[in-house]
Amino acid sequence: MSFTSTKMMQKAGVVSRTPVVRSAHQVRQQARSAKHQAAPSVVAAVVPQQQLSAAARRASLACRVAAAEAPAAAGADSSSSSASNVRGDIRNIAIIAHVDHGKTTLVDSMLKQSKVFRANQDMAERVMDSNALERERGITILAKNTAIRFKGVKINVIDTPGHADFGGEVERVLNMCDGVLLLVDSVEGPMPQTRFVTKKALALNKKVVVVVNKIDKPAARPEWVVDSTFELFMDLGATDEQCDFPVVYASGVNGIAGMSPDTMSETLEPLFDTVVREVAPPAVAFEQPLQMLVTNIDYDEHKGRIAIGRVSAGTVKKGIPLSICSSLEPGKVRPGKVNELFVYDNFSRIPVEEVQAGDICAVTGIQDIGIGETLCSKESPVALPTIKVEEPTVSMTFKVNTSPFAGKEGKFNTSKPVNTSPFAGKEGKFVTSRNLKDRLDRELERNLAMKVEPGETADAFVVSGRGTLHLGILIESMRREGYEFEIGPPKVITREVDGHKCEPYEEAIVEVPEQYVGSVVELFAQRKGEMQDMQPSIEGTTRLTFKIATRGLLGLKNALLTATRGLGLLNTIFDSYRPVAGEISMREQGSLIAFETGQVTAYAIETAQERGQLFVKPGDQVYEGQVVGVYNKSGDLKLNVCKAKALTNMRASQSEKKVALDEARIMGLDDALEYITDDEQVEVTPLSIRIRKDPSAKPSRGGSRR
C-alpha cells in the first residue's frame, strides 16, 4: 500500500498514529494521485460504508475510486477506439445553482473572454437576463441558450433559473446537456436549490463540475464549501465516480478561475479547460434516422413558434419534411416541415442548412409543436421519452374581475366584461373569461411545471404551480400585457398517500443574526415548523434549518422580515408529502375595510390611521369592500375613509392641532399575495393592485387561519 493510500486509510480509522487527512478536497486530490498505485485489495480493508462517520466515508470513497480506476486506466487505449461515434468538437453544459450564486454573471465573463462581443461594444450586465422582469427582480426566470468557442471546441451553454419555484425550467434543459457546472457560493455553500438541481443532475447521470464561485469574498471558506458539497453528494446517494467531482475556483464578476484558491489565473481558461476535459463529448448516431426532442419553445413575431432541442440521432436539414410524434400518444403521427434552421453561436442564432446529431438547434415552421414532442424522419417516426417534471404544490384561482372598478385602467378595450358597473369597459384591455382562458392555455405550451383546471364557475380557473413566486411571475406578466382579473388566496395541493391525506412540506433555511434566533424559532413554532439543525454561520449570523408545511410558509416572508428587522434571509425547497399538520395560525391581525365608494380624504385618514396601517392615501379612489389597511387587532373593521369635513361658516379655532399623516404602505403584487387570506382576493389591473373582500366568502372572525 502506498503512503498516499495509507493516509486515506487513516481517515477511515484502519491505520492510526500518523497525521489525518483534513478535508474531502484533500482526500480526492490524493485519490487522484494514487489512481495508478492503489490495488483492488484495498477495497477489502475498508469497513462497510453505512458504519462509517462522514469523514471516514470520504476516505472509503477515495480508496474505492482509486482502486476501481487503476485497472480502467490500463485499458483506456483499447476502449477509446470503440467510442468513435462522438462529437469531439462539441460540449453541451448547463449552469445550475441556488439563486444569487452568480450563474448569469459568470456567463457574462465567459462570453466576454470568448470574444463574443467587440472590444468597443457596450455590453449590459447580466446580458442573458433579457426579460424585463428578470432585470427588475435580479433573478433568472427562463432558461436560455448561448454558445462559446474555446480551442476549436464549441461549448453550448444553458443558463438556468436559480429559484426553486422555477425548477421546472432546470428539469427540462438537463435533457439537452451532457454535464453541468454546479456553482456554489464560497461563503454560503450548498443551499436548498443547490440540493434540488444536484439531485436532478445526478439522477440523469450528468457529469458535475463544481465551481466554487465568488472566491474573492473576504469571508470565503472554500474548503468548508467543498466538504459541504461532498456531503451533499453523499446524502443524495451519488455513486463513487460522481462523488469524485472536479473542483474549479472562480470569481465570475472578475472573470478569473483556478484549480486552487491560492493559484488563480487571470482568465477563465482553467474553467474552460476543465469543461473540455471533464465533460464527455455527446455520443451520437449519425447514420440513424432523425430524432430531436423539443425541450424549449420560443416565439418570434415574424417566424412564429420556434422549437429548441438537441439532435439525438441523424441530421436535420432546412426544408425537409418530417414527422412529429410523442411517447404520450403512441401511434399518433402528424407531418411537419422545417422552414428555417438555426444554431447558437456567439450569443446569437446563426442560420444553417443542416445540423448533425449532438448539437443544439432551433427549428421554425411547425406552429403546433409542443415541448416533449419528437421531430423524426418520415421513414422512421420513433418518439423519444417525453420530459417529466415535478408536480405543482400550490394553486390559485384566476377569475374575471368583478370589482366596481373593473375595466377602468387599460389603454383600450373592445370586450365587454362580466361586471356591469358604471366603470365597466374603461380599465382592462383583456377582461373577459375567454381572454383569460386563451392566455392561460398559451402559458401551458411552454411552462411544463404549471397546470390549469376549470374552477367552480365558468369564469374561474384553478392555476397550479411550484410556489407563489412561480404563479406571481405569470400574474405580473399578464398584468403588463393588459389583462385584468382577480386572484384568490394561494392554497396547497393535497394528496392521498397510503390512505392518509397529506400535504407538501418544505425545507426552510434561515440566515439570521444571533440576536433574532429566538424570534425566528418562535415564529416557525407558531406555524408548526420543526427545527432540524442550528449552526453558526459567518459574521455573527446563525443558520437555522426547519421542516415546515408549505401552508405554513404562506405569508411568512413579511412576518419574518418584521421579526428580524429586515435582516433575515429565507430559502426554501420542496421536501416531501407528509400527513396534514392541522390548523395553522397565519395572520393574527384583521383588515380595515372601506365602508363606502368614493375618494379618500385627509380628514378621514387622521382618525383611520389610529386603527392600523393604511394602504391608501388622500386622493385615492376606493370602493365598498376594498381592504384599505391592516387592523391592529384581530377580526375585521369597516370604516369610512371617504368622510369629508363638514363645511360651516364658523372660523376654525386656533387651538386645533394639525395631525401628521402616516405614510401609506404601498402593496405590490408579492406583498398582496403574502397578505390575503381565505376570505380575500387580489384585484389585478394594468395599473393597480388592490385587495378586496371576497363577496362570496363568509366574513372572517378573529385571526386568520388556514
Side-chain angles (χ1 to χ4, degrees):
M1 185 181 300
S2 68
F3 175 73
T4 306
S5 300
T6 302
K7 291 191 71 178
M8 289 186 289
M9 297 299 293
Q10 295 161 1
K11 192 66 174 178
V14 179
V15 182
S16 60
R17 296 187 180 277
T18 50
V20 297
V21 180
R22 291 183 178 276
S23 70
H25 174 63
Q26 293 170 334
V27 170
R28 285 198 317 279
Q29 295 296 329
Q30 294 175 8
R32 288 180 176 178
S33 66
K35 284 180 182 177
H36 300 289
Q37 302 177 23
S41 59
V42 174
V43 181
V46 182
V47 294
Q49 180 171 327
Q50 62 268 25
Q51 298 177 7
L52 300 176
S53 66
R57 288 204 311 267
R58 294 196 289 266
S60 174
L61 165 71
C63 295
R64 284 184 280 121
V65 170
E69 293 189 1
D77 294 338
S78 60
S79 62
S80 61
S81 60
S82 62
S84 57
N85 288 334
V86 296
R87 291 286 303 271
D89 60 332
I90 289 179
R91 299 294 187 274
N92 297 316
I93 63 169
I95 301 184
I96 58 177
H98 184 80
V99 64
D100 200 32
H101 277 199
K103 298 181 308 301
T104 306
T105 303
L106 180 64
V107 173
D108 283 354
S109 294
M110 294 172 70
L111 291 170
K112 289 178 182 178
Q113 296 189 20
S114 59
K115 302 299 187 292
V116 169
F117 304 101
R118 301 188 311 273
N120 62 345
Q121 185 172 348
D122 186 18
M123 178 182 168
E125 291 185 2
R126 303 195 321 273
V127 66
M128 294 292 285
D129 285 345
S130 55
N131 184 286
L133 280 175
E134 291 177 323
R135 289 195 169 276
E136 289 176 17
R137 293 174 178 255
I139 60 174
T140 301
I141 298 172
L142 303 174
K144 302 174 191 67
N145 296 71
T146 189
I148 58 178
R149 293 189 177 272
F150 176 74
K151 295 182 179 179
V153 177
K154 177 185 178 183
I155 304 176
N156 285 310
V157 180
I158 308 171
D159 186 24
T160 65
H163 199 284
D165 281 22
F166 308 110
E169 292 282 311
V170 181
E171 292 176 90
R172 285 195 294 106
V173 302
L174 287 178
N175 289 273
M176 288 194 288
C177 65
D178 299 294
V180 297
L181 297 184
L182 176 63
L183 265 67
V184 186
D185 188 283
S186 65
V187 177
E188 295 181 354
M191 295 293 281
Q193 179 69 357
T194 312
R195 184 182 187 91
F196 175 80
V197 295
T198 304
K199 179 180 178 181
K200 295 300 179 183
L202 295 177
L204 293 172
N205 200 29
K206 305 297 182 182
K207 178 66 178 182
V208 179
V209 176
V210 175
V211 180
V212 181
N213 197 28
K214 304 184 181 182
I215 196 65
D216 55 322
K217 282 186 173 182
R221 41 181 182 171
E223 282 197 7
W224 176 85
V225 170
V226 174
D227 286 352
S228 300
T229 305
F230 184 90
E231 293 298 327
L232 172 63
F233 275 56
M234 298 294 288
D235 292 342
L236 294 176
T239 64
D240 296 345
E241 291 75 19
Q242 289 172 331
C243 286
D244 189 32
F245 50 80
V247 180
V248 181
Y249 303 87
S251 170
V253 69
N254 294 319
I256 59 175
M259 304 309 295
S260 166
D262 300 323
T263 56
M264 300 293 291
S265 171
E266 295 181 356
T267 67
L268 292 174
E269 186 167 332
L271 176 60
F272 293 140
D273 280 328
T274 303
V275 169
V276 174
R277 182 179 65 251
E278 298 287 349
V279 177
V284 295
F286 292 115
E287 306 303 326
Q288 297 297 321
L290 170 65
Q291 282 184 311
M292 171 182 160
L293 182 67
V294 178
T295 310
N296 203 353
I297 294 291
D298 201 352
Y299 185 81
D300 184 89
E301 292 183 359
H302 305 290
K303 297 179 177 64
R305 189 172 297 186
I306 303 173
I308 302 171
R310 171 176 163 178
V311 182
S312 300
T315 303
V316 57
K317 299 181 179 180
K318 179 180 177 180
I320 64 167
L322 43 74
S323 298
I324 306 165
C325 54
S326 172
S327 60
L328 298 179
E329 299 177 325
K332 185 177 180 180
V333 180
R334 66 183 191 274
K337 183 180 179 180
V338 178
N339 286 349
E340 292 184 88
L341 188 61
F342 302 88
V343 294
Y344 292 91
D345 204 355
N346 293 337
F347 198 61
S348 60
R349 291 196 186 109
I350 307 299
V352 293
E353 294 297 321
E354 68 175 36
V355 177
Q356 292 184 322
D359 206 351
I360 296 173
C361 66
V363 175
T364 68
I366 309 172
Q367 296 307 313
D368 60 346
I369 191 67
I371 293 176
E373 293 187 310
T374 305
L375 304 184
C376 313
S377 65
K378 292 183 67 67
E379 297 76 18
S380 179
V382 179
L384 294 168
T386 191
I387 300 171
K388 295 182 180 179
V389 298
E390 297 281 349
E391 292 293 318
T393 57
V394 175
S395 67
M396 296 182 188
T397 299
F398 288 43
K399 57 184 179 180
V400 171
N401 186 16
T402 57
S403 83
F405 290 171
K408 212 185 157 193
E409 286 178 359
K411 298 177 182 178
F412 49 86
N413 175 42
T414 58
S415 303
K416 186 176 180 180
V418 173
N419 177 38
T420 56
S421 76
F423 300 109
K426 296 180 181 179
E427 187 164 310
K429 178 180 177 182
F430 303 110
V431 296
T432 66
S433 59
R434 179 181 175 182
N435 297 145
L436 198 56
K437 183 179 185 303
D438 290 345
R439 176 61 178 83
L440 294 174
D441 287 343
R442 290 201 307 274
E443 185 68 21
L444 292 179
E445 293 176 357
R446 70 166 315 279
N447 200 332
L448 292 188
M450 193 169 287
K451 291 186 177 180
V452 177
E453 299 172 322
E456 296 180 354
T457 61
D459 59 353
F461 307 91
V462 178
V463 183
S464 305
R466 290 285 185 86
T468 54
L469 179 60
H470 186 201
L471 297 175
I473 292 296
L474 170 63
I475 296 168
E476 182 63 33
S477 299
M478 293 175 63
R479 176 191 176 202
R480 297 186 181 197
E481 294 167 12
Y483 287 85
E484 180 180 331
F485 50 99
E486 292 176 348
I487 304 296
K491 298 180 179 180
V492 298
I493 300 173
T494 59
R495 290 182 182 177
E496 287 288 335
V497 180
D498 298 330
H500 300 283
K501 185 178 180 181
C502 296
E503 65 178 335
Y505 273 70
E506 301 194 29
E507 180 183 78
I509 294 181
V510 182
E511 293 270 358
V512 63
E514 294 177 356
Q515 62 266 35
Y516 300 119
V517 168
S519 300
V520 173
V521 172
E522 181 180 358
L523 179 62
F524 273 82
Q526 291 173 355
R527 297 183 176 232
K528 300 190 175 179
E530 301 175 358
M531 189 167 69
Q532 305 292 309
D533 190 23
M534 180 172 67
Q535 292 184 355
S537 188
I538 58 169
E539 298 177 353
T541 62
T542 301
R543 177 178 292 189
L544 305 171
T545 304
F546 297 89
K547 287 288 173 59
I548 184 172
T550 302
R551 186 162 43 102
L553 289 172
L554 301 178
L556 179 64
K557 181 180 177 181
N558 288 334
L560 178 67
L561 291 176
T562 301
T564 62
R565 304 298 188 269
L567 300 176
L569 298 177
L570 172 66
N571 291 284
T572 63
I573 189 69
F574 172 76
D575 181 67
S576 60
Y577 271 84
R578 297 184 180 186
V580 174
E583 192 176 73
I584 297 178
S585 176
M586 304 297 292
R587 197 180 77 202
E588 298 298 331
Q589 297 170 306
S591 295
L592 298 174
I593 306 170
F595 183 75
E596 63 179 25
T597 301
Q599 187 178 59
V600 178
T601 65
Y603 178 74
I605 291 288
E606 288 181 6
T607 54
Q609 66 185 11
E610 298 175 1
R611 304 287 188 173
Q613 186 177 21
L614 297 178
F615 303 153
V616 294
K617 60 184 183 299
D620 289 348
Q621 294 287 336
V622 298
Y623 53 81
E624 182 182 355
Q626 180 178 334
V627 175
V628 296
V630 184
Y631 190 23
N632 52 22
K633 298 180 180 179
S634 61
D636 295 331
L637 175 68
K638 288 188 175 183
L639 74 172
N640 189 355
V641 292
C642 303
K643 183 180 180 181
K645 185 176 182 179
L647 298 178
T648 68
N649 57 0
M650 299 293 294
R651 179 177 296 181
S653 172
Q654 295 292 334
S655 61
E656 289 185 4
K657 295 182 180 180
K658 291 185 177 180
V659 179
L661 301 183
D662 297 337
E663 185 177 354
R665 176 182 172 185
I666 305 301
M667 295 292 284
L669 178 60
D670 293 341
D671 298 323
L673 294 178
E674 282 265 327
Y675 178 82
I676 60 173
T677 57
D678 290 343
D679 64 339
E680 295 168 341
Q681 54 193 23
V682 180
E683 178 190 355
V684 179
T685 76
L687 299 179
S688 303
I689 298 293
R690 305 184 187 95
I691 302 175
R692 65 178 300 203
K693 283 295 177 178
D694 187 349
S696 62
K698 295 180 179 179
S700 65
R701 294 183 180 180
S704 172
R705 300 180 183 274
R706 283 197 177 104

